[in-house]
Amino acid sequence: MNTLVALCAVGCEKILGNEIKHLGYKLVSNAPGRVSFLGDDDALFRANLCLRTADRVYLQLAQYSAYDFDELYEGAYSINWQDFLKKDSRIIVDKVRTYKSKLNSEHSVQKMVHKAIYSKLGDVWHMQTLPETGEQSDIRIYVDENQALILLDLSGLPLHKRGYRTDGGIAPLRETTAAALLQEMMWRRKTPLHDPFCGSGTIAIEATLYAFDVAPGFGRRFALENLPIYNKKRAEEIRAQEAEKIRTDVEVRITGSDIDAAAVERARKNAEYACVMAGRALKSIGKSAHIQRPDFIQSDFADLEAPYETGLLLCNPPYGERLGDAEQAAELYQKMGSLWTDFPDWDLGVITSAEGFEENFGHKTGHTKKIKSGNLDTVFYIYNRAPKKA
């Protein structure tokens, strides 16, 4: 059994944990922005392929006490690195995080672990220098309250890079964050969904992948595939298993709009790539079915009317790089009151990093969630307005 660690936006740990449990794996613990869980060897690949809200997946190689640099070095040296790395691997200790620990110099921790890895591999392989001509292998280290956690990256590029977005436009919403918003709203495929500020189409596309049970990682490779622990035959079997789960027998009503014609065109192209990705997965198991594309139109949000009695409006309205100053944002959020009026029985979810959204929008909600993705602090405002069924 392996211990794995999945990273996510701070505030999304519970959602990610639910995803992990849905895959059949046992949760161990969580900390801000990361969730630890137990999984079999299949989990190394399946977690990368299937998790929608994880930013990265790591294999935990060791956890031990490290009150000084000698303990840090010895613990790192004791890992059987030769089982996880190739002789030509280019080894990078990419990030170190320390918290309430005697070892608080991230740079020094980085150097010491890097030295321990190379010393161990040199001793095992009887080599004075390693060629480093192969693929890069990244190591991440956490030292929390004097406990060192050594992690090997299995993802490579961050998992929000699904492989379908050809152009994100200005300051696009991360795919993993969009997936988390859908889960936070408890959206179901039968519920109409519209994004009135669709930008590059991320929310609508992630909703489409979720609605048709398309694993988000079908369109890309993972760092795991460059490691000696990678089982190519088993990975292909897992891909086929997940392709079999894709549903093409459901009808969904997923749409988006934007006042910018170029944004609408970007969204359409990205959606096409995402659906072609799903189509290739189906073709790999001998199926010729197609995934329904989300529909995008050019429109000012003020001109929209609810096409159905109930549904979900989910959006990331422009702010900062995409709009300008706070005064422009306040004016936009005031005008967004038309959505409240024109979609009277629709639930509404708005994510923004702008302060004073509720005051400008003119409607308060008792349900907000703070989400920190990368360096951006945002608040997700949730308005549950759809009539409750008896």
Side-chain angles (χ1 to χ4, degrees):
M1 194 62 68
N2 305 291
T3 300
L4 295 102
V5 178
L7 304 190
C8 64
V10 176
C12 295
E13 298 84 3
K14 184 176 180 180
I15 292 172
L16 175 56
N18 287 337
E19 269 202 282
I20 291 168
K21 287 190 290 186
H22 183 71
L23 286 181
Y25 303 127
K26 183 180 179 181
L27 300 182
V28 175
S29 63
N30 65 57
R34 68 182 195 264
V35 179
S36 299
F37 62 101
L38 298 178
D40 55 13
D41 289 345
D42 285 356
L44 307 185
F45 186 79
R46 196 185 299 276
N48 278 287
L49 181 69
C50 297
L51 291 177
R52 300 180 189 278
T53 61
D55 288 321
R56 286 185 182 276
V57 176
Y58 290 90
L59 176 61
Q60 179 177 310
L61 300 184
Q63 184 173 16
Y64 57 92
S65 297
Y67 287 87
D68 56 40
F69 283 110
D70 287 339
E71 288 185 327
L72 178 69
Y73 180 91
E74 290 302 325
Y77 184 91
S78 69
I79 297 169
N80 292 327
W81 292 101
Q82 67 275 13
D83 295 339
F84 304 101
L85 301 170
K86 296 179 180 179
K87 287 186 177 180
D88 64 350
S89 294
R90 187 159 60 92
I91 304 161
I92 304 293
V93 180
D94 71 329
K95 285 188 179 179
V96 175
R97 293 288 182 267
T98 64
Y99 175 74
K100 291 184 178 180
S101 297
K102 290 186 176 181
L103 300 178
N104 54 23
S105 170
E106 295 179 355
H107 181 65
S108 297
V109 169
Q110 182 183 38
K111 287 179 62 178
M112 187 60 67
V113 172
H114 197 266
K115 179 181 178 181
I117 297 171
Y118 275 85
S119 295
K120 178 61 172 283
L121 292 177
D123 291 345
V124 171
W125 289 331
H126 307 291
M127 300 171 66
Q128 290 189 340
T129 59
L130 300 178
E132 294 191 290
T133 55
E135 298 288 345
Q136 178 173 316
S137 293
D138 291 336
I139 312 297
R140 182 166 295 199
I141 305 164
Y142 291 94
V143 186
D144 289 349
E145 297 181 343
N146 301 304
Q147 291 294 307
L149 191 65
I150 311 295
L151 306 176
L152 173 63
D153 181 26
L154 302 179
S155 300
L157 290 174
L159 293 177
H160 76 265
K161 294 181 180 295
R162 312 290 204 211
Y164 65 70
R165 188 155 67 183
T166 58
D167 183 358
I170 301 173
L173 182 70
R174 282 188 178 182
E175 291 83 344
T176 46
T177 304
L181 301 186
L182 290 162
Q183 295 297 319
E184 191 67 39
M185 294 298 302
M186 293 187 289
W187 179 74
R188 296 295 177 262
R189 61 170 67 91
K190 65 181 180 180
T191 303
L193 180 144
H194 184 78
D195 178 0
F197 303 95
C198 70
S200 58
T202 305
I203 289 174
I205 296 169
E206 288 298 314
T208 298
L209 297 181
Y210 176 71
F212 291 102
D213 292 336
V214 179
F218 272 128
R220 53 164 290 167
R221 290 172 51 84
F222 308 105
L224 170 64
E225 298 174 53
N226 300 320
L227 302 176
I229 56 175
Y230 176 58
N231 185 334
K232 183 178 180 180
K233 181 176 182 294
R234 185 58 190 150
E236 290 174 349
E237 292 171 350
I238 293 171
R239 280 186 179 273
Q241 290 172 359
E242 295 304 323
E244 289 284 358
K245 295 177 183 178
I246 298 175
R247 297 190 61 178
T248 57
D249 61 341
V250 293
E251 289 189 15
V252 297
R253 291 164 289 181
I254 300 171
T255 55
S257 59
D258 202 289
I259 195 171
D260 183 359
V264 172
E265 184 59 27
R266 277 196 302 270
R268 287 173 177 160
K269 286 183 178 179
N270 292 337
E272 182 63 22
Y273 274 103
C275 292
V276 167
M277 173 188 78
R280 286 173 179 162
L282 286 167
K283 188 176 181 180
S284 71
I285 57 171
K287 295 184 178 180
S288 58
H290 296 281
I291 297 298
Q292 179 184 330
R293 276 62 170 160
D295 188 26
F296 298 100
I297 62 169
Q298 182 184 1
S299 176
D300 189 323
F301 69 87
D303 297 329
L304 299 173
E305 293 183 356
Y308 306 102
E309 184 176 345
T310 61
L312 169 63
L313 286 173
L314 185 59
C315 61
N316 172 35
Y319 181 69
E321 292 180 65
R322 296 167 61 208
L323 182 63
D325 57 28
E327 187 175 324
Q328 288 177 293
E331 183 180 352
L332 172 66
Y333 299 155
Q334 289 169 9
K335 291 179 179 179
M336 281 177 62
S338 66
L339 294 173
W340 187 272
T341 303
D342 296 333
F343 292 76
D345 290 326
W346 283 49
D347 289 337
L348 173 64
V350 180
I351 186 170
T352 179
S353 57
E355 295 182 2
F357 169 77
E358 287 181 306
E359 290 75 11
N360 290 307
F361 184 50
H363 301 281
K364 288 189 175 294
T365 175
H367 192 178
T368 61
K369 188 175 186 66
K370 293 183 178 180
I371 297 176
K372 183 177 178 64
S373 182
N375 295 320
L376 188 63
D377 293 306
T378 63
V379 178
F380 187 41
Y381 298 88
I382 301 171
Y383 298 87
N384 294 308
R385 307 176 65 213
K388 299 296 182 289
K389 293 183 179 179

